[in-house]
Amino acid sequence: MAASSRPSVWPDLSAKLVARMLSAHAGIGVVLGALLYIVSLSGVMVVFHAEFARWEQPHITEVSAASPELAARSAQTLLDHASAAGETPDRISVFLPTPDSPRLAGGYGDTYWFIDESAALGETIDHGFSEFLIDLHYYLHLPSTLGLIVVGLLGVMMLALVVSGFLAHPRVFRDAFRSHKPGNGQLSLADRHNRLSVWGAPFHIMIPLTGAALGLATLVALTLAQTQPGMTVNAMFDTVFGPGAEDTAAAGPLPDIAQALRVVESDFADAGLTPWIVQIENPGQDGQTLQILTAANQRLIFGEYLQFSPDGAFIGKTGLDDGAFGQQATASVYNLHFGNWGGVPVKLIYVALGLALCVVCVSGVQLWLYKRARKKGPQPRLERSWIALVWGPPALTGLVLALDRVLGLADAAMPAVFWIGLLIITGLSMFTPSTAMLSRGLKLSGSALILIGAGAHFLAYGVSGYQSPAAWGVFAGLMISALALGVNALTASTPLRAPKPAPADPQVQA
C-alpha cells in the first residue's frame, strides 16, 4: 500500500530536535518513576514513625496511663507557662499516653514538652528526623496543600499502573509462579516484577487507593468549596469530622478536664474508646471549649471526637465510630494506609509488603529501560541516572540522619540536604565510568552513613539512656538496614546492563 501523501498537521522538525524531545520524554518517565519509588520507600519508614519519635529521645520516662487529675494539672501548667511568657494561645493540647506513644506531653503553638508525674514541663519535644520522614511521605517536602495534592496524584498514577499492568498481562497470574534460568537478565527481572505484583496485589491496590484518598481530599474540598456559595474548605471537612465543641465558657478557670476524662473512662470504655488528646480552645478566655479525641481500640477508625461542657458533662460526639458509613470509612483511611491497627506484627507486614512495592516500582522502570535499550541501543546516562535515583534516597536519608545526630542539623535544612543532594548525585552519575561502581558506591555510602547516624545516637545516650523498647527496636532496624545495604553492595551482581540493539528483521528491511 502506498504511503499517504496527505501532509502532516505537525510542522517538520529536525531529527536532532526529535531525538532531544524523545530523550526529554524518557527523562520525565524516569523522574515520575523515581517519585513513586521515593513515596513508597518513605512510606515504609513512616510505618514506624511513632517508634522513630521515641527513638530520637529514648531517655524519656514512659508510662502506660495518666490520671484525669494529672491531665488537668498538665493543662493548667501549660496555661500558666503561656501566661508567664506573655502569650495567649489559641489552643492547648495534652497528649495522653497510648501504646504507640506511652508518654505524657502537651503544648501550644509550635512548641510541645514532655510532662512528668508532677505535671511539670520537662524536655522540649524534638522529633526532627521523624518529622522529616513524615513530611517526605506526606508532601514530598512541598508546601502542605500542594504536597498533598501531588502525592495524591501519584497515588492515582500508581493505582492506574497496578490495574493497567494486570490488564496488559493476561498471563500475569500464571507467570507469577514461573521461574526462568538465572542469567537471563530481562526474564529474571520480569519474573521478580510479576511475582511481587501478584503476591502483593491487594496491598498494592489498597495503599495507592487510600493514599490518593488522603492526598486528594483537600483538592476535592477546594473544588467543591468554589462551586458552593459561602462554602469553605473547613466547612467541607466539618461534614465528616465535625465542627468541634460548641458549648463555650466565659473567661476564667479551665473547663473541668478531670471530670470529662472520668466520663470517658466510665461511659465509653465498652465502646473501645480511650482518651488520647485533650484540646482546649481559647483557654482561659471567653469562648473556651473542651474536646477530647479518643483512640478506638481494635477498630480501623483513628478515633472519635467527644465534646464536653465547661463542667465536664458530655454533650455530643462527631459520630466517626457509629455514624454514617461514609464517615466511618473516611475515618479508617489513615490507619488502613499506615498499618496503625494491629500493633508491631501488622507494621512488620506492612514494611515487607512496602519493600515489595518499592521493588515493583524499580523493576518496572528497569524493564522499560531494558526494552528501550534493545530498540534504540544503550543509553548509559539515562541508566546511570536511574541508578542514582534508586540508591541515592537511602544514602541521602542516611546522610540526613548522620548530620542530625552528629552535627545537630537544623530541622529546616533536612529537606534541602535531601533534594539538593539527590540532584547533585543524579547529575554526577551521568559522568561515572561504570554503573557497577556507581551502584556499589551509593549502597556503601548509605550503609556507612546509617551506621554513623545510629551509632552516634547510641553513644550519645548509652545503654542506660535507651529506656524505651521502641528505641532498641529502631536501633536494631537501622543496623540491619545498614548491613543489608553493605552486603548487597559487596555481593550483588553487576547492575543490569543495556543489551545491544536487536537485529533488524529482514522482512521489515525489504
Side-chain angles (χ1 to χ4, degrees), residues 240-242 244 273 279 291-294 302-308 314 316-320:
V240 177
F241 301 109
L273 301 179
Q279 297 175 334
Q291 178 174 254
I292 297 177
L293 172 59
T294 59
F302 67 82
E304 173 64 281
Y305 292 97
L306 306 178
Q307 288 82 39
F308 295 86
F314 173 69
K317 64 179 181 178
T318 302
L320 300 180

mmCIF file of all heavy atoms in Angstrom, residues 240-242 244 273 279 291-294 302-308 314 316-320:
data_model
loop_
_atom_site.group_PDB
_atom_site.id
_atom_site.type_symbol
_atom_site.label_atom_id
_atom_site.label_comp_id
_atom_site.label_asym_id
_atom_site.label_seq_id
_atom_site.Cartn_x
_atom_site.Cartn_y
_atom_site.Cartn_z
ATOM 1 N N VAL A 240 -17.644 15.760 57.736
ATOM 2 C CA VAL A 240 -17.161 14.418 58.075
ATOM 3 C C VAL A 240 -16.650 14.363 59.507
ATOM 4 O O VAL A 240 -17.013 13.487 60.284
ATOM 5 C CB VAL A 240 -16.045 13.977 57.108
ATOM 6 C CG1 VAL A 240 -15.500 12.605 57.511
ATOM 7 C CG2 VAL A 240 -16.560 13.939 55.678
ATOM 8 N N PHE A 241 -15.777 15.327 59.869
ATOM 9 C CA PHE A 241 -15.088 15.271 61.147
ATOM 10 C C PHE A 241 -15.729 16.138 62.228
ATOM 11 O O PHE A 241 -15.232 16.176 63.351
ATOM 12 C CB PHE A 241 -13.622 15.677 60.967
ATOM 13 C CG PHE A 241 -12.885 14.800 59.998
ATOM 14 C CD1 PHE A 241 -12.502 15.276 58.751
ATOM 15 C CD2 PHE A 241 -12.597 13.486 60.319
ATOM 16 C CE1 PHE A 241 -11.839 14.460 57.856
ATOM 17 C CE2 PHE A 241 -11.923 12.662 59.429
ATOM 18 C CZ PHE A 241 -11.551 13.153 58.199
ATOM 19 N N GLY A 242 -16.827 16.819 61.891
ATOM 20 C CA GLY A 242 -17.497 17.623 62.890
ATOM 21 C C GLY A 242 -16.862 18.990 63.051
ATOM 22 O O GLY A 242 -15.676 19.169 62.818
ATOM 23 N N GLY A 244 -16.326 20.610 65.832
ATOM 24 C CA GLY A 244 -15.672 20.816 67.119
ATOM 25 C C GLY A 244 -16.682 21.185 68.194
ATOM 26 O O GLY A 244 -17.893 21.268 67.959
ATOM 27 N N LEU A 273 -13.348 3.071 73.322
ATOM 28 C CA LEU A 273 -12.767 4.404 73.173
ATOM 29 C C LEU A 273 -11.973 4.763 74.423
ATOM 30 O O LEU A 273 -12.475 4.659 75.542
ATOM 31 C CB LEU A 273 -13.858 5.444 72.936
ATOM 32 C CG LEU A 273 -14.754 5.229 71.700
ATOM 33 C CD1 LEU A 273 -15.807 6.325 71.610
ATOM 34 C CD2 LEU A 273 -13.918 5.190 70.431
ATOM 35 N N GLN A 279 -8.115 18.775 74.092
ATOM 36 C CA GLN A 279 -7.941 20.046 73.385
ATOM 37 C C GLN A 279 -8.826 21.105 74.038
ATOM 38 O O GLN A 279 -10.047 20.913 74.159
ATOM 39 C CB GLN A 279 -8.314 19.899 71.910
ATOM 40 C CG GLN A 279 -7.426 18.914 71.151
ATOM 41 C CD GLN A 279 -7.886 18.704 69.722
ATOM 42 O OE1 GLN A 279 -9.063 18.870 69.403
ATOM 43 N NE2 GLN A 279 -6.964 18.330 68.850
ATOM 44 N N GLN A 291 -12.721 19.610 74.123
ATOM 45 C CA GLN A 291 -12.955 18.468 73.250
ATOM 46 C C GLN A 291 -11.888 17.418 73.526
ATOM 47 O O GLN A 291 -10.719 17.752 73.752
ATOM 48 C CB GLN A 291 -12.906 18.892 71.780
ATOM 49 C CG GLN A 291 -13.091 17.753 70.788
ATOM 50 C CD GLN A 291 -13.188 18.250 69.357
ATOM 51 O OE1 GLN A 291 -14.240 18.280 68.755
ATOM 52 N NE2 GLN A 291 -12.068 18.659 68.800
ATOM 53 N N ILE A 292 -12.279 16.151 73.528
ATOM 54 C CA ILE A 292 -11.335 15.054 73.744
ATOM 55 C C ILE A 292 -11.392 14.119 72.544
ATOM 56 O O ILE A 292 -12.465 13.613 72.193
ATOM 57 C CB ILE A 292 -11.676 14.276 75.038
ATOM 58 C CG1 ILE A 292 -11.543 15.192 76.254
ATOM 59 C CG2 ILE A 292 -10.746 13.066 75.188
ATOM 60 C CD1 ILE A 292 -11.939 14.517 77.557
ATOM 61 N N LEU A 293 -10.226 13.941 71.903
ATOM 62 C CA LEU A 293 -10.121 12.950 70.831
ATOM 63 C C LEU A 293 -9.760 11.620 71.473
ATOM 64 O O LEU A 293 -8.756 11.515 72.174
ATOM 65 C CB LEU A 293 -9.057 13.364 69.818
ATOM 66 C CG LEU A 293 -8.704 12.330 68.740
ATOM 67 C CD1 LEU A 293 -9.921 11.950 67.915
ATOM 68 C CD2 LEU A 293 -7.592 12.858 67.835
ATOM 69 N N THR A 294 -10.588 10.632 71.254
ATOM 70 C CA THR A 294 -10.335 9.312 71.814
ATOM 71 C C THR A 294 -9.775 8.391 70.744
ATOM 72 O O THR A 294 -10.060 8.550 69.555
ATOM 73 C CB THR A 294 -11.626 8.701 72.371
ATOM 74 O OG1 THR A 294 -12.601 8.603 71.312
ATOM 75 C CG2 THR A 294 -12.195 9.544 73.498
ATOM 76 N N PHE A 302 -9.516 6.106 63.207
ATOM 77 C CA PHE A 302 -8.426 6.654 64.008
ATOM 78 C C PHE A 302 -8.900 7.102 65.374
ATOM 79 O O PHE A 302 -8.101 7.250 66.303
ATOM 80 C CB PHE A 302 -7.730 7.812 63.285
ATOM 81 C CG PHE A 302 -8.571 9.046 63.115
ATOM 82 C CD1 PHE A 302 -8.707 9.972 64.137
ATOM 83 C CD2 PHE A 302 -9.221 9.291 61.914
ATOM 84 C CE1 PHE A 302 -9.480 11.118 63.978
ATOM 85 C CE2 PHE A 302 -9.989 10.429 61.739
ATOM 86 C CZ PHE A 302 -10.127 11.343 62.777
ATOM 87 N N GLY A 303 -10.209 7.343 65.549
ATOM 88 C CA GLY A 303 -10.704 7.768 66.844
ATOM 89 C C GLY A 303 -12.076 8.405 66.739
ATOM 90 O O GLY A 303 -12.746 8.345 65.704
ATOM 91 N N GLU A 304 -12.483 9.035 67.826
ATOM 92 C CA GLU A 304 -13.778 9.710 67.906
ATOM 93 C C GLU A 304 -13.628 10.985 68.708
ATOM 94 O O GLU A 304 -12.944 11.010 69.749
ATOM 95 C CB GLU A 304 -14.808 8.798 68.561
ATOM 96 C CG GLU A 304 -16.151 9.425 68.854
ATOM 97 C CD GLU A 304 -16.889 9.841 67.594
ATOM 98 O OE1 GLU A 304 -16.547 10.907 67.034
ATOM 99 O OE2 GLU A 304 -17.798 9.110 67.166
ATOM 100 N N TYR A 305 -14.231 12.064 68.223
ATOM 101 C CA TYR A 305 -14.201 13.341 68.920
ATOM 102 C C TYR A 305 -15.402 13.434 69.864
ATOM 103 O O TYR A 305 -16.546 13.271 69.444
ATOM 104 C CB TYR A 305 -14.260 14.495 67.927
ATOM 105 C CG TYR A 305 -13.029 14.632 67.054
ATOM 106 C CD1 TYR A 305 -13.001 14.098 65.769
ATOM 107 C CD2 TYR A 305 -11.908 15.316 67.511
ATOM 108 C CE1 TYR A 305 -11.881 14.234 64.964
ATOM 109 C CE2 TYR A 305 -10.780 15.458 66.706
ATOM 110 C CZ TYR A 305 -10.777 14.913 65.440
ATOM 111 O OH TYR A 305 -9.671 15.045 64.646
ATOM 112 N N LEU A 306 -15.129 13.728 71.133
ATOM 113 C CA LEU A 306 -16.176 13.897 72.141
ATOM 114 C C LEU A 306 -16.147 15.335 72.635
ATOM 115 O O LEU A 306 -15.075 15.873 72.940
ATOM 116 C CB LEU A 306 -15.963 12.944 73.318
ATOM 117 C CG LEU A 306 -15.815 11.447 72.987
ATOM 118 C CD1 LEU A 306 -15.564 10.656 74.258
ATOM 119 C CD2 LEU A 306 -17.046 10.929 72.259
ATOM 120 N N GLN A 307 -17.308 15.961 72.722
ATOM 121 C CA GLN A 307 -17.407 17.340 73.183
ATOM 122 C C GLN A 307 -17.989 17.372 74.590
ATOM 123 O O GLN A 307 -18.890 16.588 74.924
ATOM 124 C CB GLN A 307 -18.264 18.183 72.240
ATOM 125 C CG GLN A 307 -17.617 18.492 70.902
ATOM 126 C CD GLN A 307 -17.752 17.353 69.908
ATOM 127 O OE1 GLN A 307 -18.798 16.717 69.845
ATOM 128 N NE2 GLN A 307 -16.706 17.109 69.133
ATOM 129 N N PHE A 308 -17.488 18.322 75.405
ATOM 130 C CA PHE A 308 -17.905 18.430 76.794
ATOM 131 C C PHE A 308 -18.229 19.874 77.146
ATOM 132 O O PHE A 308 -17.668 20.816 76.577
ATOM 133 C CB PHE A 308 -16.807 17.901 77.722
ATOM 134 C CG PHE A 308 -16.552 16.423 77.567
ATOM 135 C CD1 PHE A 308 -15.677 15.960 76.604
ATOM 136 C CD2 PHE A 308 -17.210 15.510 78.376
ATOM 137 C CE1 PHE A 308 -15.450 14.602 76.450
ATOM 138 C CE2 PHE A 308 -16.995 14.152 78.228
ATOM 139 C CZ PHE A 308 -16.117 13.693 77.257
ATOM 140 N N PHE A 314 -20.742 15.405 79.311
ATOM 141 C CA PHE A 314 -20.729 15.039 77.896
ATOM 142 C C PHE A 314 -21.905 15.687 77.186
ATOM 143 O O PHE A 314 -23.046 15.630 77.662
ATOM 144 C CB PHE A 314 -20.806 13.516 77.765
ATOM 145 C CG PHE A 314 -20.965 13.034 76.343
ATOM 146 C CD1 PHE A 314 -19.938 13.157 75.433
ATOM 147 C CD2 PHE A 314 -22.173 12.475 75.924
ATOM 148 C CE1 PHE A 314 -20.085 12.721 74.133
ATOM 149 C CE2 PHE A 314 -22.332 12.042 74.628
ATOM 150 C CZ PHE A 314 -21.289 12.168 73.728
ATOM 151 N N GLY A 316 -21.915 15.644 73.334
ATOM 152 C CA GLY A 316 -22.075 15.129 71.978
ATOM 153 C C GLY A 316 -20.775 14.605 71.404
ATOM 154 O O GLY A 316 -19.708 14.777 71.978
ATOM 155 N N LYS A 317 -20.895 13.936 70.260
ATOM 156 C CA LYS A 317 -19.722 13.405 69.564
ATOM 157 C C LYS A 317 -19.908 13.558 68.067
ATOM 158 O O LYS A 317 -21.018 13.818 67.583
ATOM 159 C CB LYS A 317 -19.488 11.948 69.939
ATOM 160 C CG LYS A 317 -20.601 10.997 69.519
ATOM 161 C CD LYS A 317 -20.243 9.561 69.922
ATOM 162 C CE LYS A 317 -21.335 8.579 69.501
ATOM 163 N NZ LYS A 317 -20.964 7.186 69.837
ATOM 164 N N THR A 318 -18.819 13.370 67.347
ATOM 165 C CA THR A 318 -18.851 13.554 65.895
ATOM 166 C C THR A 318 -19.572 12.411 65.193
ATOM 167 O O THR A 318 -20.294 12.628 64.228
ATOM 168 C CB THR A 318 -17.413 13.677 65.355
ATOM 169 O OG1 THR A 318 -16.774 14.774 65.997
ATOM 170 C CG2 THR A 318 -17.419 13.905 63.856
ATOM 171 N N GLY A 319 -19.368 11.185 65.652
ATOM 172 C CA GLY A 319 -20.018 10.039 65.035
ATOM 173 C C GLY A 319 -19.116 9.225 64.137
ATOM 174 O O GLY A 319 -19.596 8.462 63.305
ATOM 175 N N LEU A 320 -17.800 9.364 64.322
ATOM 176 C CA LEU A 320 -16.891 8.595 63.486
ATOM 177 C C LEU A 320 -16.944 7.100 63.814
ATOM 178 O O LEU A 320 -16.649 6.268 62.960
ATOM 179 C CB LEU A 320 -15.456 9.096 63.666
ATOM 180 C CG LEU A 320 -15.185 10.563 63.300
ATOM 181 C CD1 LEU A 320 -13.728 10.900 63.537
ATOM 182 C CD2 LEU A 320 -15.572 10.835 61.857
#
